[in-house]
């Protein structure tokens, strides 16, 4: 047999040879440093046989920044973690442990809860394993033998995985630990030069809150200590900008157990919120949307008609009378209300497109373990809209939504990743209808020359969607905006319009939220700007600092002048030194600080700009004009 090497040359090997055999044939040093094979572009274990004619690339310890090389390094590190946990915590049950984008995790069911403080001992045990050295051995066994083995070991999660696994059952063994795993893995542990356990979290088995809650241990690993040090430095910087830390520090919001997943917005947070609301409202008006308001609670029959009672009920807050079954539900989205609104009167093709917009309170019963600051909440507010249109109008409306999204994200200096989410298994409607709606969204993306991924089966049950994803400071992706094309819900509600042919036709509906959840968008904004919002968005644009008691009245009058000019300002006249108050304004990341003393007048004010050095002299009108000029055109 022959394989093709990266330089284009062919390497002749015995039939059934592995990538490791190929590395040995090229040279002993390559074989020693090899960590993974890429076969026809796909990562594979070094131990697997190669197909004749395949393209082969050998990744080594020098491939320290290659994602596939890091993947196998971290996969093997996760197995070392499991071995260490089993040794230190007898009776623990082992679940799953995959590599992830920036590291790895492993899920366990511990006989007794563990704490963050316990991670140091586990990490020390892994370091001992590394000092001893570990090699990975791969074996294939029968399904019945694998099930019997893990039953005897008291590992119910492995037994369940064996029962549901597709294809051959493979095991990897290192030291005295054998794991059910498809691989790939390192030859041995020598390439793992730097490893760190980074935290604990709760996780339900198979992501289902009805199942046992497990303990997830996170970690990361690198080929060099320098790479780990650089990563930990970036992580520390990211944590400093985490919205869960900055939000309370900047007096924007807080969360508490009295209402899990529901932020308490402080006055400064509401100032920021209202800027976003004003932007939403003015842009919607400019683009032909009509503001509406619909009820918060709907009868069960409405949710049955929309399909949510069957498909989404587990994520809804239901309403029941005493001793009764649920008969209503708090709305988790605005769609059914807007369907009822459209259906409240006769509609003509001349009325279309009809664009309803609503920024309404929604509630979704997110599992406690998934709540995450502002990024995953139960109290949700969307910049929601539903566009009722004809088949011929779909393309223009999708284009308009994409252009609107581009305007908003450019305004905030953000980049979004597009994903086309296709039909799920629990879809409503026929494949022919989905072929059309998926095709319409795909065509719009391609005509706009927008790169996109495909989320197979990730669409809503009523239609495909274009999701816009952004990353937080820790590199985790969150869905922000969404543009969905729906041919099903209008039919469910019996909606029609009178066409030019004097016949009734069902409309299509474009569901769209571009900022998405305002809570989530605000959380991302806080991290994006590290709390130092641009002037037009800052909750407090100007802070006035009177130098002494004698200047308080003049400072208050100056505040009134800013307020009258539409500038968001406040006065800090606390009994503190001027230096401390200036420092506090810097920590609050306020764009402008006006220091008012004996020499200042409205024609010559001492103004400190955020991030700048020294003091500039400006007039009141000049500062007001500068702030106004920084505002976006809406």
């Amino acid at each position: 047999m022959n394989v093709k090497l990266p330089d284009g040359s062919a390497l002749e090997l015995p039939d059934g040879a592995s990538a490791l055999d190929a590395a040995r044939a090229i040279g002993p040093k390559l074989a020693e440093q090899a960590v993974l094979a890429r076969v026809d572009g796909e990562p594979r274990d070094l131990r697997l046989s190669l197909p004749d004619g395949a393209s082969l690339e050998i990744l080594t310890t020098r491939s320290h920044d290659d994602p596939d090389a890091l993947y196998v390094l971290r996969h093997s590190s996760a197995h070392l973690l499991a071995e260490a946990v089993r040794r230190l915590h007898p009776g623990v049950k082992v679940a799953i442990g995959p590599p992830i984008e920036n590291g790895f995790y492993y899920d366990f069911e511990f006989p007794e809860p563990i704490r963050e403080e316990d991670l140091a001992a586990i990490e020390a045990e892994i370091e001992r394993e590394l000092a001893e050295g570990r090699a990975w051995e791969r074996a294939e066994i029968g399904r019945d033998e694998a099930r019997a083995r893990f039953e005897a070991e008291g590992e119910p999660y492995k037994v369940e995985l064996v029962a549901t696994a597709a294809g051959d059952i493979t095991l990897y063994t290192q030291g005295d630990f054998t794991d059910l795993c498809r691989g790939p893995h390192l030859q041995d542990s020598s390439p793992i030069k730097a490893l760190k356990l980074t935290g604990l979290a709760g996780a339900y088995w198979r992501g289902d809150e009805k199942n046992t809650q497990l303990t997830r241990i996170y970690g990361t690993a690198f080929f060099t200590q320098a790479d780990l040090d650089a990563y930990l430095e970036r992580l520390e910087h990211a944590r400093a900008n985490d919205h869960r830390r900055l939000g309370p520090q900047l007096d924007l919001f807080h969360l508490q157990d009295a209402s899990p997943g529901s932020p308490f917005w402080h006055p400064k947070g509401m100032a920021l919120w209202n800027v976003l609301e004003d932007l939403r409202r003015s842009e919607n008006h400019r683009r032909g949307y009509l503001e509406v308001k619909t009820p918060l609670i709907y009868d069960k029959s409405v949710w049955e008609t929309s399909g949510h009672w069957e498909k989404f009920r587990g994520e809804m807050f239901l309403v029941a009378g005493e001793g009764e079954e649920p008969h209503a539900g708090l709305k988790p989205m605005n769609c059914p209300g807007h369907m009822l609104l459209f259906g409240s009167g006769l509609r003509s093709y001349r009325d279309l497109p009809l664009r309803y917009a609503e920024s309404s309170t929604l509630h979704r019963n997110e599992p406690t373990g998934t709540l995450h600051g502002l990024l995953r909440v139960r109290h949700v507010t969307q910049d929601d809209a539903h566009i009722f249109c004809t088949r011929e109008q779909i393309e223009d409306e999708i284009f308009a939504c994409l252009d609107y999204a581009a305007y908003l994200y450019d305004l905030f200096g953000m980049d979004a990743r597009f994903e086309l989410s296709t039909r799920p298994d629990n879809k409503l409607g026929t494949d022919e209808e989905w072929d059309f709606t998926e095709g319409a969204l795909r065509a719009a993306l391609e005509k706009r020359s927008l790169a996109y991924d495909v989320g197979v089966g990730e669409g809503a049950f009523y239609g495909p969607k274009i999701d816009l994803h952004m990353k937080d400071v820790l590199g985790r992706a969150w869905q922000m905006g969404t543009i969905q094309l729906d041919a099903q819900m209008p039919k469910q509600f019996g909606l029609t319009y009178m066409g030019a042919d004097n016949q009734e036709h069902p409309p299509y509906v474009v569901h769209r939220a571009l900022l998405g959840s305002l809570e989530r968008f605000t959380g991302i904004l806080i991290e994006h700007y590290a709390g130092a919002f641009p002037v037009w968005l800052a909750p407090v644009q100007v802070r006035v600092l009177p130098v002494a008691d004698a200047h308080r009245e003049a400072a208050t009058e100056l505040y009134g002048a800013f307020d009258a000019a539409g500038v968001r300002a406040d006065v800090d006249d606390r009994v503190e030194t001027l230096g401390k108050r200036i420092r506090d304004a810097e920590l609050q990341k306020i764009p402008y600080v006006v220091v008012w003393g004996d020499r200042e007048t409205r024609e010559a004010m001492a103004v400190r700009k955020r991030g700048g050095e020294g003091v500039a002299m400006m007039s009141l009108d000049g500062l007001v004009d500068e702030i106004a000029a920084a505002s976006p055109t809406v």
Side-chain angles (χ1 to χ4, degrees):
M1 62 175 285
N2 288 279
V3 294
K4 185 178 180 181
L5 301 179
D7 64 2
S9 64
L11 177 66
E12 185 176 350
L13 296 166
D15 289 343
S18 67
L20 189 54
D21 293 327
R24 289 175 180 140
I26 296 170
K29 192 69 172 176
L30 178 64
E32 179 185 336
Q33 294 179 348
V35 297
L36 184 70
R38 235 179 339 234
V39 181
D40 293 329
E42 296 296 322
R44 292 186 63 183
D45 195 291
L46 291 162
R47 304 160 185 80
L48 294 177
S49 298
L50 294 168
D52 188 20
S55 295
L56 174 65
E57 181 183 2
I58 305 292
L59 302 184
T60 71
T61 53
R62 298 190 178 199
S63 311
H64 64 93
D65 57 354
D66 185 290
D68 288 337
L70 285 168
Y71 180 94
V72 70
L73 184 90
R74 290 163 179 169
H75 194 175
S76 298
S77 298
H79 281 227
L80 294 177
L81 166 61
E83 180 187 351
V85 167
R86 287 229 311 189
R87 188 172 295 109
L88 293 178
H89 297 270
V92 71
K93 300 186 189 308
V94 181
I96 57 171
I100 53 178
E101 183 176 0
N102 289 311
F104 60 86
Y105 69 77
Y106 218 115
D107 290 345
F108 304 95
E109 183 184 341
F110 284 92
E112 299 291 337
I114 69 166
R115 303 168 301 167
E116 293 277 350
E117 293 80 1
D118 297 314
L119 295 183
I122 298 171
E123 191 174 305
E125 181 64 18
I126 297 174
E127 292 296 338
R128 189 188 66 79
E129 294 168 357
L130 289 170
E132 288 182 356
R134 292 289 186 269
W136 276 269
E137 297 178 4
R138 183 180 185 275
E140 294 186 11
I141 64 173
R143 194 175 299 272
D144 291 343
E145 182 184 352
R147 183 176 61 251
R149 176 189 182 117
F150 288 115
E151 284 176 348
E153 292 180 0
E155 293 287 5
Y157 301 107
K158 299 298 181 183
V159 172
E160 186 175 332
L161 289 170
V162 167
T164 57
D168 297 332
I169 302 298
T170 56
L171 305 178
Y172 280 86
T173 299
Q174 94 269 356
D176 59 4
F177 177 64
T178 298
D179 206 356
L180 175 71
C181 184
R182 291 180 181 160
H185 280 285
L186 299 169
Q187 296 183 70
D188 58 52
S189 60
S190 61
I192 306 173
K193 300 299 186 185
L195 182 146
K196 180 71 176 174
L197 299 184
T198 55
L200 291 176
Y204 293 106
W205 171 237
R206 293 190 179 271
D208 188 339
E209 63 177 332
K210 297 176 183 176
N211 292 335
T212 304
Q213 187 170 37
L214 306 174
T215 299
R216 177 167 294 177
I217 300 179
Y218 285 99
T220 193
F222 290 89
F223 286 97
T224 71
Q225 185 64 42
D227 286 344
L228 174 60
D229 291 344
Y231 171 75
L232 293 176
E233 184 177 345
R234 291 194 303 272
L235 193 64
E236 190 59 35
H237 175 73
R239 283 174 174 158
N241 294 335
D242 192 313
H243 76 281
R244 293 170 298 176
R245 174 181 174 274
L246 284 176
Q249 178 182 309
L250 299 177
D251 198 23
L252 300 174
F253 72 91
H254 79 276
L255 295 152
Q256 64 183 73
D257 292 341
S259 185
S262 302
F264 290 75
W265 290 96
H266 300 195
K268 291 177 185 174
M270 279 309 299
L272 173 60
W273 182 282
N274 287 334
V275 175
L276 296 176
E277 266 289 275
D278 290 345
L279 173 66
R280 178 197 70 84
R281 190 170 286 114
S282 62
E283 276 299 313
N284 279 350
H285 177 72
R286 190 163 71 87
R287 297 168 189 267
Y289 288 85
L290 303 173
E291 198 82 12
V292 300
K293 189 171 181 62
T294 54
L296 185 64
I297 300 175
Y298 293 91
D299 186 78
K300 171 184 175 182
S301 61
V302 174
W303 302 115
E304 288 176 331
T305 299
S306 69
H308 289 94
W309 196 259
E310 177 187 357
K311 312 285 188 183
F312 205 78
R313 181 170 43 172
E315 297 176 54
M316 293 172 61
F317 286 100
L318 304 180
V319 179
E322 187 174 350
E324 297 179 0
E325 288 295 311
H327 65 84
L330 285 166
K331 64 178 178 181
M333 65 281 297
N334 290 309
C335 325
H338 289 190
M339 301 295 159
L340 295 174
L341 194 59
F342 183 91
S344 65
L346 298 175
R347 308 293 178 185
S348 162
Y349 72 96
R350 293 187 180 89
D351 300 323
L352 305 183
L354 183 58
R355 307 180 186 98
Y356 289 146
E358 179 173 12
S359 181
S360 176
T361 297
L362 309 173
H363 289 86
R364 296 183 181 178
N365 192 11
E366 300 282 1
T368 302
T370 67
L371 298 177
H372 183 86
L374 296 180
L375 303 186
R376 189 174 294 277
V377 292
R378 289 174 173 165
H379 176 289
V380 184
T381 311
Q382 288 184 331
D383 64 324
D384 213 354
H386 293 88
I387 303 166
F388 296 82
C389 63
T390 69
R391 186 184 182 103
E392 295 73 26
Q393 293 167 336
I394 288 173
E395 183 172 83
D396 285 344
E397 293 304 313
I398 298 296
F399 282 164
C401 290
L402 290 171
D403 293 344
Y404 193 173
Y407 166 80
L408 289 173
Y409 295 155
D410 285 348
L411 186 62
F412 294 102
M414 291 178 163
D415 294 319
R417 177 179 62 82
F418 291 84
E419 180 176 85
L420 174 62
S421 299
T422 62
R423 68 198 75 182
D425 292 337
N426 67 342
K427 71 181 191 310
L428 297 176
T430 66
D431 284 334
E432 291 75 17
E433 290 170 327
W434 280 80
D435 287 342
F436 170 72
T437 51
E438 287 176 1
L441 294 184
R442 183 178 287 105
L445 286 166
E446 292 175 354
K447 287 182 180 180
R448 278 291 191 263
S449 299
L450 294 169
Y452 64 92
D453 300 320
V454 177
V456 177
E458 296 297 320
F461 65 85
Y462 49 79
K465 54 183 181 167
I466 298 170
D467 288 332
L468 295 97
H469 297 268
M470 292 182 185
K471 289 186 176 181
D472 66 10
V473 290
L474 295 178
R476 293 165 296 198
W478 298 91
Q479 182 195 318
M480 305 297 286
T482 186
I483 301 167
Q484 307 172 357
L485 182 55
D486 177 10
Q488 306 306 321
M489 209 175 292
K491 293 178 183 177
Q492 299 286 105
F493 281 89
L495 303 183
T496 61
Y497 66 92
M498 189 64 68
D501 58 0
N502 289 323
Q503 299 294 315
E504 290 188 344
H505 303 274
Y508 285 85
V509 175
V510 178
H511 307 239
R512 76 108 187 99
L514 301 180
L515 300 179
S517 154
L518 264 69
E519 289 82 2
R520 179 175 291 177
F521 192 77
T522 303
I524 293 290
L525 274 182
I526 293 169
E527 296 183 352
H528 178 66
Y529 293 118
F533 301 106
V535 175
W536 69 274
L537 193 57
V540 178
Q541 296 169 311
V542 178
R543 172 162 291 174
V544 182
L545 302 181
V547 173
D549 287 350
H551 307 114
R552 285 184 177 180
E553 183 177 348
T556 302
E557 290 175 356
L558 183 61
Y559 157 77
F562 279 124
D563 188 56
V567 173
R568 295 185 295 278
D570 67 11
V571 178
D572 183 358
D573 58 0
R574 293 174 298 156
V575 183
E576 297 284 0
T577 66
L578 180 61
K580 184 178 189 311
R581 286 181 288 150
I582 290 173
R583 175 62 179 157
D584 288 347
E586 291 173 349
L587 293 174
Q588 290 288 301
K589 304 177 188 287
I590 294 171
Y592 296 97
V593 174
V594 176
V595 178
W596 191 273
D598 291 334
R599 300 178 182 178
E600 279 67 42
T601 69
R602 294 194 180 192
E603 296 303 318
M605 303 185 306
V607 179
R608 291 176 175 268
K609 294 185 180 181
R610 180 180 60 201
E613 294 182 2
V615 177
M617 300 306 294
M618 300 180 68
S619 68
L620 171 62
D621 290 343
L623 181 52
V624 169
D625 289 344
E626 184 168 303
I627 292 171
S631 299
T633 302
V634 294

